[in-house]
Amino acid sequence: MVQIIDKKVHLEYPLGHHLHCMIAQVPNRLRRAEKGFAIVEPDRQWEMVRSVLDLVTAGEGNLKKLHFLMFPETHVPFARFDEMLAFIDGEFRPNSVTMFGVEHVSLKVYRQMLERFREDNAEAIELVDRDIDSGDVLEMPVNWCCIAVKEASGALRVFLEAKSHPFHGEEFLDKFHDLYRGRHFYLFRSRPSCFNFMVLICLDYLYRDLYRSNIRQIIDHANQLFFTTRQALDTLFVIQCNPKPEHRAYRDVLSGFYGEYLEDTPGVRETVTVFGNASDETRIEDAPEERGFGTSSVVISRNHRLARMDLSEFSTDDFGGAPVCRLRFGAGTRLYYFNLPLHHELDPRTSRVPLKVHAIMRWSRDGGWVKVTGDEMVTGFEIGQET
């Protein structure tokens, strides 16, 4: 059973003001390897990562306000892991969180990385060691992610998570080649701003069966947090490399997450769920090319107000009748920069929109990021309609 581990981090966010997030919807190119999947052109992929990091560091416009940066799962080459952390530590502004998936490694290497950052991952090490003690698992591949938190003091803290539920390409009849199943999630409780968030890897959001459910555990844990401290889970980030982001399983889980009527769920009632996917230029060995990636999204409760909109770069809907408002992005290689909504239920006395897209950037042929202008978007705006 996956355990949720509370971690206190020192992030001084402006009280009563929305926070800012950027999804780097960039392409992955993966092939099968002895240890799960490997990046086909690691240098080329790292150049894309660095271009985003450089953009954030430059901070043009209001990018200086960026608080959360998301990359897809299995995106950063393992050989560049130290360089990634060094760049964040040396160049990023305080009070920032960077979430990125890392190329698959063996459990032995993953355990070494946990040991290297033991101060922040001690509880996770205990859980992994139980698995290691129970069998010959050190060579199993691990799909993992890093949450790099640069605190208000400028100190960098490094948290690691392993994916707990594989997709079909990560499971084999030969158990030795199966993906290792992670045993923990972190719930980050930032002080003094009292902002609480979690990070999951793709299908970990959907892991549900008759006896165990990751999402059920998250709801119960958030409820306990609410009943004991009157705080809630503010944002749930889900990093993906997913060719089926529109699968009905996601809608089913979101319907239960935001629309449960048999019990009260105050711990997640106002949670903002952010899905950050890889772009439609992603290619994975054995995966048909016609199955598109992309369509990252932001989901909030239907009690929020979102005007119905249909543009070439994004649209809003209720995800096929779910009790939610969803901002759904396009499938191309893009950077999406937007604000995370504050607690803001529908109020007939105000016209304020809780969720706004600040900028969308596309990759240019010259090798840089340029803003998508309003003229480049084909509008289908419906005045007076709400999701």
Side-chain angles (χ1 to χ4, degrees):
M1 197 72 170
V2 173
Q3 293 190 24
I4 298 175
I5 302 171
D6 285 20
K7 286 290 184 179
K8 293 182 180 179
V9 291
H10 184 204
L11 296 170
E12 296 180 357
Y13 293 141
L15 300 178
H17 195 275
H18 60 245
L19 304 181
H20 297 81
C21 177
M22 176 182 284
I23 297 174
Q25 185 171 279
V26 289
N28 268 351
R29 291 178 176 84
L30 306 173
R31 60 174 176 80
R32 286 197 180 277
E34 183 179 356
K35 300 297 185 292
F37 283 84
I39 295 173
V40 174
E41 299 176 283
D43 290 341
R44 178 181 176 186
Q45 196 140 311
W46 174 245
E47 288 177 5
M48 179 72 75
V49 174
R50 271 300 303 263
S51 70
V52 179
L53 300 181
D54 290 336
L55 185 73
V56 172
T57 301
E60 295 182 3
N62 66 346
L63 275 178
K64 292 184 178 68
K65 297 181 178 180
L66 179 64
H67 301 100
F68 297 95
L69 175 60
M70 299 178 68
F71 286 95
E73 68 171 307
T74 323
H75 186 69
V76 174
F78 178 63
R80 301 286 189 169
F81 182 81
D82 287 351
E83 192 172 345
M84 181 83 170
L85 291 184
F87 191 98
I88 294 170
D89 190 20
E91 303 294 336
F92 270 31
R93 296 169 184 83
N95 298 307
S96 63
V97 179
T98 307
M99 301 155 273
F100 56 94
V102 190
E103 187 176 23
H104 293 186
V105 296
S106 68
L107 181 58
K108 180 179 180 180
V109 173
Y110 175 68
R111 174 61 176 81
Q112 292 170 352
M113 299 302 292
L114 288 171
E115 184 64 37
R116 179 178 163 190
F117 302 102
R118 172 178 279 275
E119 186 175 353
D120 291 320
N121 297 275
E123 301 92 339
I125 290 175
E126 293 181 10
L127 298 173
V128 171
D129 283 347
R130 292 180 195 174
D131 290 331
I132 293 175
D133 291 340
S134 67
D136 183 15
V137 295
L138 283 174
E139 297 305 317
M140 292 184 71
V142 181
N143 184 347
W144 56 304
C145 74
C146 175
I147 304 101
V149 179
K150 191 164 185 180
E151 295 185 311
S153 64
L156 182 67
R157 301 182 63 184
V158 178
F159 302 90
L160 307 178
E161 289 183 357
K163 188 176 181 181
S164 72
H165 187 54
F167 81 105
H168 72 90
E170 296 167 329
E171 288 190 297
F172 295 85
L173 290 175
D174 179 0
K175 178 67 176 177
F176 179 78
H177 290 96
D178 269 358
L179 185 79
Y180 173 73
R181 294 174 183 259
R183 303 300 182 188
H184 74 280
F185 301 142
Y186 287 124
L187 171 62
F188 298 98
R189 302 181 61 184
S190 57
R191 298 291 185 272
S193 53
C194 295
F195 183 87
N196 306 309
F197 64 96
M198 296 183 68
V199 180
L200 304 182
I201 304 178
C202 201
L203 296 185
D204 284 354
Y205 185 80
L206 300 183
Y207 191 16
R208 309 179 75 171
D209 60 32
L210 293 177
Y211 304 100
R212 299 182 300 175
S213 170
N214 288 349
I215 207 67
R216 179 72 259 173
Q217 276 189 272
I218 291 171
I219 292 172
D220 290 344
H221 197 89
N223 280 344
Q224 186 67 18
L225 178 66
F226 178 84
F227 292 131
T228 56
T229 69
R230 285 302 184 264
Q231 296 179 34
L233 175 61
D234 294 290
T235 304
L236 180 61
F237 297 98
V238 185
I239 64 172
Q240 300 179 302
C241 181
N242 186 1
K244 292 185 176 182
E246 301 292 286
H247 196 283
R248 68 179 187 181
Y250 282 92
R251 183 179 60 81
D252 292 344
V253 175
L254 287 167
S255 295
F257 192 84
Y258 288 101
E260 179 60 69
Y261 298 107
L262 297 180
E263 62 177 304
D264 195 18
T265 58
V268 299
R269 187 178 295 134
E270 293 293 330
T271 300
V272 180
T273 307
V274 182
F275 296 97
N277 202 3
S279 80
D280 60 359
E281 296 181 63
T282 294
R283 297 292 180 266
I284 300 180
E285 188 175 83
D286 297 341
E289 291 191 9
E290 64 269 14
R291 292 166 61 183
F293 292 75
T295 64
S296 298
S297 62
V298 185
V299 181
I300 56 179
S301 166
R302 63 182 173 189
N303 293 324
H304 293 254
R305 169 178 292 166
L306 283 185
R308 190 171 296 279
M309 185 170 287
D310 187 8
L311 305 178
S312 61
E313 293 291 338
F314 64 86
S315 60
T316 58
D317 62 19
D318 61 3
F319 204 164
V324 301
C325 295
R326 180 175 68 156
L327 172 65
R328 178 181 181 273
F329 294 109
T333 298
R334 297 287 189 274
L335 301 181
Y336 299 116
Y337 185 44
F338 54 92
N339 71 274
L340 297 174
L342 291 170
H343 296 174
H344 179 76
E345 290 192 353
L346 183 64
D347 187 340
R349 299 169 295 179
T350 181
S351 61
R352 186 173 183 177
V353 177
L355 174 60
K356 291 186 179 180
V357 179
H358 291 279
I360 298 176
M361 285 165 263
R362 58 178 172 79
W363 184 251
S364 71
R365 294 180 180 178
D366 298 331
W369 296 99
V370 296
K371 283 189 177 182
V372 176
T373 66
D375 293 338
E376 294 179 77
M377 301 186 195
V378 179
T379 180
F381 178 56
E382 301 178 26
I383 299 177
Q385 298 296 317
E386 297 174 354
T387 60

